[in-house]
């Protein structure tokens, strides 16, 4: 239907209405253009080719509140399709006029403004930098929207931050240096349901870029809301995003992995992985998070309980890491025996799992043979056989 409107040569008339003096006519024209542009990139391109963008930028500067709202909305509908269409808005100097409305008192306008900036920033690092250059991050204008009374404003602001930080470490650092990470963590703590998702992914993107940024998130108590979402959110895609973000935080070093271990994140990830109702994507992201973090973890106390309960696909990462830890840590070897880890290892050896056997052999070589034998499942039978053999020898001597 939108294509039929375009084919009917109506765009020139609609764009002409944007030049009218009457605000209600401009507003109606913006609505129509937005509904056309929202569907596909070719339709949005037709709106651009008709010369709508510079006039939409002028509409943003009009005093009528409703006109500002729909102009920002229509620009967002154009920008969302491709970097080229977003660049048209940039070339018409539209971004500064959109960005200055972030601090406006009207929540419905701020919804559209944050959404429009998100649609521009999401495409490329260059477009994200254009948004950043408006100083809505350095002056914390956008971060204040995370505390807005309107939940849609809060969510759209979080989405805009996510679309900026995902592109480059420099952009992530800019947000962190202006305490944006703390605002996002506070936002996730207070939000529920799908509104949490952009904040959760923002933390994952920030943490992915460097150990330093991940450490800053840990210090700011960023693990807690991610763990809460992993446990309590009913939607699997939100749980999966939380698992991914936790993996990005913990994968850098033993210190990062220990932060997750102390927070009891490993057990929660295993529970999600084992849950038969979990989606394939959630299981996959939980497994990848566990793999990347366990391979860095040296906090053996947190891994010992997992050794007794984890499923085979996760066990190989745990056993493999113990093979590394026990080679250099005498205290860990003692704890491993006391926690029944060595006994569990001998039981696993009988399972015939080839992925585990090489690690089990490495672990067993770190203990005296008599201790390994003692914790082997068939140790009692061997002792009985020795007793029987001794009895037979005694009978032979008496005979």
């Amino acid at each position: 239907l939108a294509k039929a409107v375009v084919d009917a040569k109506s765009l020139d008339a609609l764009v002409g209405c944007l030049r009218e003096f009457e605000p209600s006519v401009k507003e109606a024209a913006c609505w129509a253009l937005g509904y056309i542009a929202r569907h596909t990139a070719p339709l949005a391109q037709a709106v651009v080719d008709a010369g709508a963008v510079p006039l939409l930028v002028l509409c943003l500067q009009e005093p009528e509140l409703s006109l500002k709202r729909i102009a920002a909305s229509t620009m967002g509908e154009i920008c969302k399709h491709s970097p080229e269409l977003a660049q048209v808005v940039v070339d018409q100097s539209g971004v500064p006029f959109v960005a200055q409305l972030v601090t406006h008192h009207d929540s419905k306008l701020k919804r559209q403004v944050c959404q429009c900036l998100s649609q521009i920033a999401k495409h490329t690092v260059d477009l994200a930098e254009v948004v950043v250059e408006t100083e809505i991050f350095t002056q914390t204008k956008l971060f204040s929207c995370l505390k807005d009374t309107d939940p849609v404003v809060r969510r759209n602001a979080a989405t805009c931050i996510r679309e900026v930080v995902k592109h480059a470490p420099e952009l992530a650092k800019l947000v962190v240096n202006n305490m944006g990470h703390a605002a996002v963590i506070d936002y996730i703590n207070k939000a529920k349901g799908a509104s949490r998702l952009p904040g959760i992914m923002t933390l994952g993107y920030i943490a992915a870029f460097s150990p330093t940024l991940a450490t800053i998130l840990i210090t700011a108590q960023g693990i807690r809301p991610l763990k809460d979402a992993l446990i309590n959110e009913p939607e699997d895609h939100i749980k999966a995003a939380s698992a991914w973000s936790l993996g990005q935080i913990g994968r850098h070093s033993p210190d990062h992995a220990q932060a997750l271990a102390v927070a009891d994140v490993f057990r929660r990830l295993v529970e999600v992985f084992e849950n038969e109702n979990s989606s394939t994507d959630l299981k996959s992201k939980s497994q990848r998070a566990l793999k990347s973090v366990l391979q860095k973890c040296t906090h053996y106390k947190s891994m010992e309980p997992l050794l007794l309960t984890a499923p085979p696909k996760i066990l190989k990462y745990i056993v493999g890491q113990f093979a590394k830890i026990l080679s250099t840590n005498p205290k860990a070897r003692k704890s491993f025996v006391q926690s029944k880890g060595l006994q569990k290892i001998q039981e696993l050896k009988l399972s015939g799992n080839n992925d585990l056997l090489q690690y089990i052999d490495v672990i067993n070589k770190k203990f005296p043979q008599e201790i390994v034998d003692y914790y082997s499942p068939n140790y009692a039978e061997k002792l009985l056989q020795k007793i029987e053999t001794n009895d037979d020898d005694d009978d032979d001597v008496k005979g």
Side-chain angles (χ1 to χ4, degrees), residues 121-134:
K122 73 179 184 180
H123 295 292
T124 66
V125 63
D126 290 335
L127 288 169
E129 287 175 349
V130 171
V131 173
V132 168
E133 285 168 3
T134 63

Side-chain angles (χ1 to χ4, degrees), residues 116-288:
C116 181
L117 294 172
S118 301
Q119 302 291 13
I120 295 169
K122 73 179 184 180
H123 295 292
T124 66
V125 63
D126 290 335
L127 288 169
E129 287 175 349
V130 171
V131 173
V132 168
E133 285 168 3
T134 63
E135 298 189 345
I136 58 173
F137 288 90
T138 53
Q139 295 181 13
T140 67
K141 294 176 182 177
L142 190 62
F143 303 143
S144 65
C145 289
L146 293 174
K147 297 181 179 180
D148 196 89
T149 55
D150 186 278
V152 180
V153 172
R154 296 197 296 268
R155 179 176 179 175
N156 288 356
T159 302
C160 185
I161 296 167
R162 178 192 69 191
E163 299 298 354
V164 168
V165 300
K166 72 180 184 181
H167 288 293
E170 293 77 18
L171 295 174
K173 287 176 184 175
L174 176 72
V175 170
V176 169
N177 289 341
N178 287 279
M179 297 304 293
H181 66 293
V184 171
I185 290 169
D186 185 57
Y187 166 76
I188 303 171
N189 276 322
K190 294 176 180 177
K192 296 296 177 187
S195 295
R196 279 180 141 180
L197 186 59
I200 289 169
M201 294 185 68
T202 297
L203 296 189
Y205 284 128
I206 292 173
F209 283 120
S210 76
T212 302
L213 290 173
T215 300
I216 291 171
L217 295 186
I218 292 170
T219 305
Q221 304 298 316
I223 293 175
R224 187 182 304 163
L226 296 177
K227 177 187 168 186
D228 178 77
L230 181 70
I231 298 169
N232 296 318
E233 287 298 333
E235 297 292 333
D236 276 6
H237 69 282
I238 301 175
K239 289 177 179 284
S242 301
W244 174 77
S245 292
L246 287 166
Q248 298 306 312
I249 291 174
R251 68 181 176 84
H252 292 286
S253 73
D255 289 338
H256 294 86
Q258 182 170 332
L260 265 63
V262 171
D264 194 30
V265 170
F266 295 163
R267 180 173 66 89
R268 296 300 186 175
L269 286 170
V270 170
E271 287 176 357
V272 168
F273 178 80
E274 285 191 296
N275 190 329
E276 60 182 17
N277 295 321
S278 294
S279 66
T280 303
D281 181 56
L282 176 53
K283 287 177 178 283
S284 173
K285 284 189 168 58
S286 298
Q287 182 177 358
R288 273 184 274 174

